[in-house]
Structure formats: C-alpha cells, structure tokens
Amino acid sequence: MGCLKSRMLGDWDAQGTRCPEMTPAPEPWPLISRNYKGDVSMAEIEHFMALLLQREEEEGAPAPLLSRGRVHFLWIKHANLYLVAATKKNANASLVYAFLYKVVEVFSEYFKELEEESVRDNFVIVYELLDELMDFGFPQTTDSKILQEYITQEGNKLDTGKSRVPATVTNAVSWRSEGIRYKKNEVFIDVVESVNLLVSASGGVLLSEVVGTIKLKVFLSGMPELRLGLNDRVLFELTGRGKNKSVELEDVKFHQCVRLSRFDNDRTISFVPPDGDFELMSYRLNTQVKPLIWIESVIEKFSHSRVEILVKAKGQFKKQSVANGVEIAVPVPSDADSPKFKTSVGSAKYLPERNVVIWTIKSFPGGKEHLMRAHFGLPSVEKEEDEGRPPISVRFEIPYFTVSGIQVRYMKIVEKSGYQALPWVRYITRSGDYQLRTT
C-alpha cells in the first residue's frame, strides 16, 4: 500500500476550504492512498505519524523504517508531504525507496512542484499514475516520458476505435517509442564531474572524491543501437593496453536501457537510448585530488574595534583551462559591520544574514593568483569566547576539463535504415561540496 500524507493541519470542507469553526486535527491525515495487494488494512497508515514522532523523541532523529506489529512503514519526505509505503512482507528496502523517489520524479514532471496543493488539484491524474507506476506491488512503467503519451492533464476523449495505451508499454524497449523521426540525427554527450573536497587548516586533504555522470541528449530516428567506449582501466587491461591514460571507475550505475550482461562480459556500454535527455550512467572515484582552486586566508583584529581579512586564491589547474562563475564564500564574525572591500579582480559583497563575504570572479584562468582584502568594524566590547570559524567554501565550473581524465573514446550508432549521425562530446568539471578549513 502506498500513501501520501500532508503535513498541514486543520479541517477542510469538500471544496478544499478550511473550516474555521472546527478544531485543528492533532496530526496530519492521509491525503491520497492506493492499496495494491489488499493485505494491509487502510487504517494502518493512521499510526504512521505517531510512530514517527515517538521515534524522533526517543532517538533524536526519525528512522527511515518504522514498524507496528507485522506492518512496516518505509517513507521519504518531500516538501510538505510524506510518501509512505506500507508492507507486511520482507520487502527489498532499496527497491521500495528507489520507487518512492521515482514517484516524486514522475509527479514533479507532471505538476512542476510536488506539494499538497498540486496533489489536491490533480487527484484523478494522481490515481491514474499510481495505477500505472505499480501493479500488484511490483513497479511497472516508471518513465515519465512514456506515461505522458497516454496519461495527459488535458483529459482523455473516449475513442472506441483504438487503445489508449501505446505499444511501447508492452515492448521489450519500454523506454522508447517507435516511429521517432528527425531531419538531422545527432547525439550530445555531457561528461560532468563534481569535486568533493575537504582541506584542513594545515593544508592536508581530509576528503577527496570525484562524482561523475554521463548525460545524453538524443535526437535519433528509428530504434538505434548505440555503443559507447570509455578509457576504462578494466577494459584496457582485458585488451592488453595497460593502464596508461585509463580510469578505474567505482560505484558505476546505469540507466535501465544499458545491457548489463554485455558490460559484465566485455565492458561494452551497449543500449537503445530513450528519446531526448537522460542520464546514461554515474560513477565515483576515490582519488587524491589536488585542490583546483587553493585558498589562503589571514584574519587580523586590531584593538577589538576592527578586523581585516586577506584572502588569496590560486588556480591550480592547467593554464589552458578557465574556471567560470567562481564564488568564494569567506566567513566573517557575526558582529561585523561597516564593510569595505578591495579586490584584484571580480567583486565582493557582504551578506550579513549568512555572516559571509562572497567574492565573485567571472573568469579565473589556471595558474593565476588573485587577492581580496576586506575591512570590517567590530563592537568595542570583546566577546568572552572566540567564535568558531566555519570553513571557506568555493563554487566554480571548468568547461572542457575533467579531474579524473575520463574520455569518450568512441560512440557508434547503428540503425537499420543506415543513416549517418553525429555525436558531440562536452566535458565539464564543477565544485561539489568544496571546503577549506581555516582553524
């Protein structure tokens, strides 16, 4: 059984208007539900919120799985909604959570924002989607593009001459419709890597991680077969090419279109792609990454009445590359005022609500160094205890560059009509959770 519960409190009439005469409900109530197998009573969901609050009081944090007798509640929270799956079976928890997040993704595609109001405004479509997303407790059609072919928000006209459900749903390739045609056949490949980095005040790297995704934008006619080749270390070793310029990928996850058996056998990424945008795969690398943008900071306090902050930023990547949209967030004392700035490049802005200075540099070439000096006034009374200084955080994006060195070696496109198609590849490195401690 699946259920959506609202976090809003109070009583409502049939038109969805709050009734002022009635007393507020003591806890949220089920907003919409669907019982797929009938083995869990619809009344069981009423106990979910009490269990959640009880666990939070006892342990300080809510547990992702709650139990009452033989009934288990697996839940996630999105906006002002709880999405809850109830089961009596020893279910695959990973599958259940993956399905709940997929429900959020599909509903968001339909309603733009998934919240209580959008569910109330679209009860009919929500029920239709719940019926198609799962059948008797088993996930069924979860691709929003395919669902939008026959579940529309404009309403359905009665047509006795043909079935509403497209053949795609019953095909082996359920993620792609037949009969797609383009005048110009192209594939755009984006290799996007995010760098997660934590550096100690002494300059040592405490955490270093690269999380990558390969995203495709497909404009291909017919039902093409694609084969993607990477400089994968395992593949290079299998073919006797050694480890030179190869990358060892970890935690690889693929879109459902990829033939996993083929990848396991010979590391070939072979697939029939969905139409349009989709994420083909993701990967992770636990590798020691040299900080791409290195930050040094010095804070000087003068007679408890003013403070000066000197920040030096250096691009530690190759000179041919340029970091765009660089934002360096420098923490300042919470009682600072009267800001004055001087920068060698870019501009600085004080955000008192966050107690940070944001130094923005539009274009930062590799190998360059830049300085920013900030001056603040302080109250005359010194605090008894020094505040802890949060780390400096950095945001950036470097096009045509990857930290891992991953490369798309080839993209082969085969379609029975024999047309020629052009693949285009773009590489981007971005900051993820990128922080440098100062104390």
Side-chain angles (χ1 to χ4, degrees), residues 62-116:
L65 189 149
L66 303 169
S67 298
R68 179 182 178 272
R70 294 177 56 204
V71 178
H72 309 288
F73 300 101
L74 299 91
W75 64 277
I76 63 173
K77 182 181 175 183
H78 179 84
N80 58 356
L81 296 171
Y82 290 100
L83 287 87
V84 187
T87 180
K88 286 185 176 180
K89 306 291 185 182
N90 183 17
N92 183 332
S94 297
L95 176 63
V96 175
Y97 288 118
F99 178 77
L100 291 176
Y101 282 109
K102 194 67 180 179
V103 169
V104 171
E105 182 183 323
V106 170
F107 284 4
S108 298
E109 286 284 335
Y110 269 81
F111 314 135
K112 293 188 179 178
E113 292 186 13
L114 175 58
E115 56 186 17
E116 181 183 359

Side-chain angles (χ1 to χ4, degrees), residues 15 82 147 202 234 237 257 265 331 365 367 377 410 433:
Q15 286 73 39
Y82 290 100
L147 289 167
S202 61
V234 177
E237 290 174 351
C257 66
N265 288 335
Y410 64 83
D433 188 4

Side-chain angles (χ1 to χ4, degrees), residues 206-257:
L206 303 176
L207 171 68
S208 176
E209 181 184 62
V210 177
V211 179
T213 58
I214 297 181
K215 300 179 180 180
L216 269 63
K217 184 176 289 188
V218 177
F219 302 104
L220 295 176
S221 303
M223 199 67 71
E225 172 85 20
L226 274 61
R227 288 192 288 273
L228 179 71
L230 304 173
N231 55 335
D232 179 12
R233 181 165 298 176
V234 177
L235 174 62
F236 276 36
E237 290 174 351
L238 287 173
T239 54
R241 277 177 275 187
K243 297 182 179 180
N244 291 336
K245 295 184 178 180
S246 63
V247 176
E248 186 173 358
L249 304 177
E250 302 174 30
D251 291 346
V252 180
K253 298 181 181 66
F254 290 108
H255 187 276
Q256 62 175 328
C257 66

Side-chain angles (χ1 to χ4, degrees), residues 356-377:
V356 296
V357 172
I358 303 294
W359 181 16
T360 304
I361 304 172
K362 187 176 180 181
S363 180
F364 196 144
K368 295 289 186 180
E369 285 187 9
H370 299 298
L371 297 174
M372 187 272 288
R373 189 182 298 273
H375 178 281
F376 290 90

Side-chain angles (χ1 to χ4, degrees), residues 142-198:
T142 59
D143 192 302
S144 60
K145 291 180 181 177
I146 301 302
L147 289 167
Q148 286 171 5
E149 289 187 20
Y150 62 101
I151 298 180
T152 65
Q153 289 171 290
E154 290 78 18
N156 299 297
K157 296 180 180 179
L158 181 63
D159 187 351
T160 56
K162 60 179 74 173
S163 172
R164 285 177 50 222
V165 180
T168 312
V169 175
T170 55
N171 283 350
V173 183
S174 62
W175 53 86
R176 184 179 179 88
S177 302
E178 295 183 357
I180 298 173
R181 291 288 179 267
Y182 287 101
K183 290 183 178 179
K184 187 175 184 181
N185 293 286
E186 295 179 304
V187 178
F188 297 89
I189 308 167
D190 279 348
V191 181
V192 183
E193 292 190 340
S194 296
V195 180
N196 297 328
L197 190 74
L198 179 61

Side-chain angles (χ1 to χ4, degrees), residues 333-344:
S334 59
D335 55 347
D337 59 21
S338 307
K340 295 179 182 178
F341 306 109
K342 185 177 181 181
T343 61
S344 61

